[in-house]
Amino acid sequence: MRLTRYSFLFSLVLQFSASWAQLTAPPQTYVLRFNGSQIASAPLASQLNLGNTFTMEVWVYVESAQPFAIIMGKPYDPRSSDPFMNYVLEISDDGKFEFVQTTGQPGSYRNLKAPTTVQLKKWIHVAGVLSSGMMRLFVNGAEVGNLASPGAPVSSTTIPYAVGAGATPTGMTNGFTGAIRQARVWGVALSAVEIQARASSTIGGNEAGLITCWPLDDGSGTTARSIGSTSMPLTLGTSSGASVPTWIKSEVLDSLDAFFQPTNFLVTSTLRGIQDAIPFDFDGDGDLDLIITDLWWPPTVPGTQLPIAVMRNGGNGNFTPVTDAWVDAIRFVHPRHWVITDVDKDGVNELVIVDHGTDTSPFPGDQSRILKRAANGILVEETSTRFPIINMFTHNVASGDINGDGAPEIYMCNVSGQGQIGPRFYINNGSGVFAVDSSRIPSIVSTLQQKYMSSALVDVDNDGDLDLVLGGHDGTGPSEYFPKDGLLLNNGSGTFTFAPDAAMPNRYGGPDWGTVAIAVADFNRDTWQDLLMVNQRLRGQLQLLLNNKNGTFTDYSNQLPTQEWPQGSFLGESWIKWAFPADFNGDGKIDLVAVGQGLSKPKLYMNSGDAKFVDKTEYTNFGNDVSAIAVADFTGDGRLDIVVVRYDRTATLLRNVKNMSVTAAEEDRIAGPSTFSLSNAYPNPFNPSTTMRFSVEKSGRALLRAFDLLGREIRTLFDGEAEAGRINQVIFDATGLATGIYIMRLESGGNTFTQKVVFIK
């Protein structure tokens, strides 16, 4: 059959359409991943002040289509003032790719949208072209729209071209959530055929019209290389606070939902400052609901009380807000910690929430409360009939039967309050009514001569009774503000005395750091309980303490992955709040997930055996600006799920759908080739201890020693076999040494590396 001219053209269209659908990104091992608060900025190069003819193209993997999230280009500062943008590729307010351009004059804003919404979690090629007075938008090589340009863009010499967000003179704006690769800028208008031909190919750098290409395949470092006639490497992060995007293997993106499948939902809109998400079956139907605590910030004097919020699980983790069914009188100023226990031994758990009151001077404290499910499924408060009525600054709480009568007691870990009330035990009379008793702990603790801000009741010595582990308060004043983490042993009848000082290792970061939380589990499966201490000062750090099978502990933090919790000038931006031990893959090895504050994104560490952990955070979908997490079986399938609640009141249930495998071979290895290195000590200066990490180029003996300035050997920190490609962590404890400069010397395979550290008492 003979084809007509029109049928022939139509067949060509079909051929091109088919080829568009088959576009694939150039292969590369690593790509750059952004979380909505991260940026990569180019130098202030004149070549990136684009004129009336240009092309911007990029491969993107969108994880969350945030309105007005900038993929690449130049905005104006501030965005709220017309003309808003200079030229950018971004996501529109209704979740579509769009090309935005102005002339720099008010009223010149033009936005060209794609006709359909963005497909999530799939590599898509996007290009914006300005040519002959027309704006053109291409998605996967197909032109999806065009629009008359308002005119040539103005030259913006103070705003750098950026990827992953919009750069401004003061920082960044409108961050993108997802991964980016092969971001390219051309000084010519590419045709559809040229875009299609080049999208799936790597760039050599000498192509006609190419200004720069950022492959974003580096895999490590805080810069991203550029390809082209002029070097324009991207700087990752900014000095004004935007954090550094992360390198992630391309193959990982394809597995993000393989283990935890996300289901998004909204929590009640009345919440102001989300604190914690508590799994608690408030309605008695057998599945776990969510109680979300709230906080007014900044704090007021007197404190501002806010109600809690309730999300009912309708089965299989389907959450809906039912706060209106609750008694609004249940209100808190600052609900700091919580514990679930059956205080009256009737087979129904109660929820104890401790309130430390307004978090500013004079720290008056507030009343902690006990909540119980009534017969009609409504949560009621039983504080006045069970607890002493007294305001205390209670930073932490622990519960357990300390005296062997079968009824749980409650330890109130107070740090202040009316009359400077110190820690107290609430002793259970057997029916869930409590009386204060401060005589069961040493007076140096109960009178706040030494301050502790976290606590755990755990049988550390396997003698059948619960001992008390205390996390020291942070501070830089008198010694009572920063005692060493404490271990108090139970005499069998509920009275506690300090164990020998050597039972607990020194706290990470020195005495001015604090232990804000304590997690308990048998991490190495030897039937003895171990500890995970959550330390913080200007940033967070997890410290793993393994039980020596005698109730004393040794620091094995070198078996945790390299920790990169962000550092900020304000503690609220960076410190870790909680760590939750849990066996996520059912292999009998206790894994853990930790949640931070503000900039600190949660981390998932999987136990590969013998308490050796692998960082699997990149396989999750925690999202950005996480305020709270809850770990429990919310779906009733026997697997532990994770609920993530964010500051903007969005939430995600990460359904645990498949066992995540981990092997010893994955333990904390360096990405890329093995190197010989000694990382910068942290902290430095330090008192009394600092941590260093080193790696060797070839497996063999490694020797790390500390010397004074006269060349005298002070300490041997490591002397043994080191495996190539593995990060080793050591702690230099300078207790007993003089203030001064010390030299760290690493030797292995004929190589030597030295570093100075400063010890200041």
Side-chain angles (χ1 to χ4, degrees), residues 670 673-677 695-700 722-725 748-749 751:
I670 302 171
S674 302
T675 59
F676 179 76
S677 67
S695 62
V696 297
E697 188 172 9
K698 296 181 179 180
S699 297
E723 180 185 352
S748 180
N751 296 316

Side-chain angles (χ1 to χ4, degrees), residues 407-701:
E409 276 72 44
I410 295 174
Y411 180 75
M412 296 289 187
C413 190
N414 308 327
V415 296
S416 186
Q418 295 176 354
Q420 290 292 294
I421 298 168
R424 300 286 190 270
F425 265 106
Y426 281 13
I427 303 300
N428 195 331
N429 71 351
S431 60
V433 178
F434 294 86
V436 172
D437 190 339
S438 61
S439 67
R440 295 177 179 268
I441 52 179
S443 61
I444 196 172
V445 177
S446 63
T447 59
L448 294 175
Q449 295 177 58
Q450 289 186 347
K451 286 189 176 182
Y452 298 91
M453 61 177 175
S454 58
S455 58
L457 284 167
V458 54
D459 184 4
V460 301
D461 48 12
N462 273 357
D463 64 354
D465 54 41
L466 294 175
D467 307 299
L468 181 62
V469 182
L470 297 177
H473 200 292
D474 63 304
T476 56
S479 60
E480 64 263 26
Y481 287 95
F482 44 90
K484 184 178 180 180
D485 293 343
L487 173 59
L488 282 70
L489 300 178
N490 192 335
N491 70 352
S493 59
T495 298
F496 297 81
T497 56
F498 275 105
D501 184 70
M504 294 288 286
N506 288 331
R507 183 162 58 248
Y508 178 88
D512 59 335
W513 283 53
T515 299
V516 72
I518 303 169
V520 179
D522 179 11
F523 290 111
N524 57 0
R525 299 191 295 174
D526 63 357
T527 74
W528 292 74
Q529 294 297 300
D530 308 307
L531 304 172
L532 187 74
M533 317 299 278
V534 180
N535 305 146
Q536 57 91 2
R537 184 58 182 164
L538 292 180
R539 63 183 179 90
Q541 188 79 11
L542 299 176
Q543 186 177 19
L544 177 63
L545 307 183
L546 297 185
N547 200 318
N548 297 318
K549 299 184 180 181
N550 59 7
T552 67
F553 295 87
T554 298
D555 191 330
Y556 279 84
S557 299
N558 63 327
Q559 297 187 173
L560 292 170
T562 302
Q563 297 182 59
E564 297 179 351
W565 299 89
Q567 179 175 346
S569 58
F570 174 59
L571 288 181
E573 294 178 345
S574 55
W575 57 274
I576 311 169
K577 289 202 295 186
W578 308 115
F580 300 96
D583 181 6
F584 286 109
N585 56 1
D587 62 357
K589 305 167 189 175
I590 303 300
D591 314 303
L592 64 95
V593 62
V595 62
Q597 180 83 10
L599 294 178
S600 296
K601 185 176 181 178
K603 295 183 183 295
L604 173 65
Y605 291 163
M606 301 295 292
N607 191 341
S608 65
D610 300 322
K612 296 176 181 178
F613 290 86
V614 178
D615 189 344
K616 291 288 188 175
T617 306
E618 61 184 359
Y619 286 90
T620 64
N621 298 82
F622 287 129
N624 311 315
D625 300 321
V626 176
S627 180
I629 63 173
V631 177
D633 178 12
F634 292 105
T635 59
D637 61 358
R639 297 178 185 270
L640 293 176
D641 312 300
I642 304 174
V643 164
V644 180
V645 184
R646 305 178 186 87
Y647 286 103
D648 63 1
R649 298 186 294 277
T650 63
T652 301
L653 170 65
L654 298 178
R655 300 171 184 267
N656 190 342
V657 296
K658 181 182 178 182
N659 287 342
M660 180 183 294
S661 62
V662 289
T663 65
E666 294 179 292
E667 295 164 9
D668 201 8
R669 293 187 179 276
I670 302 171
S674 302
T675 59
F676 179 76
S677 67
L678 178 63
S679 65
N680 292 332
Y682 188 87
N684 190 19
F686 67 96
N687 178 19
S689 62
T690 186
T691 299
M692 287 159 293
R693 296 175 184 268
F694 71 88
S695 62
V696 297
E697 188 172 9
K698 296 181 179 180
S699 297
R701 185 186 178 214

Side-chain angles (χ1 to χ4, degrees), residues 28 30-34 39-43 48 161-164 180-183 212-228 230-237 244-247:
Q28 56 191 73
Y30 285 93
V31 296
L32 197 57
R33 190 184 188 192
F34 298 80
I39 193 171
S41 302
L48 293 173
Y161 196 98
V163 175
I180 299 177
R181 69 208 284 184
Q182 297 295 327
T212 190
C213 167
W214 297 292
L216 305 182
D217 60 356
D218 305 63
S220 63
T222 56
T223 60
R225 68 188 179 101
S226 67
I227 294 174
T230 303
S231 178
M232 301 182 193
L234 294 174
T235 298
L236 309 187
V244 175
T246 56
W247 299 105

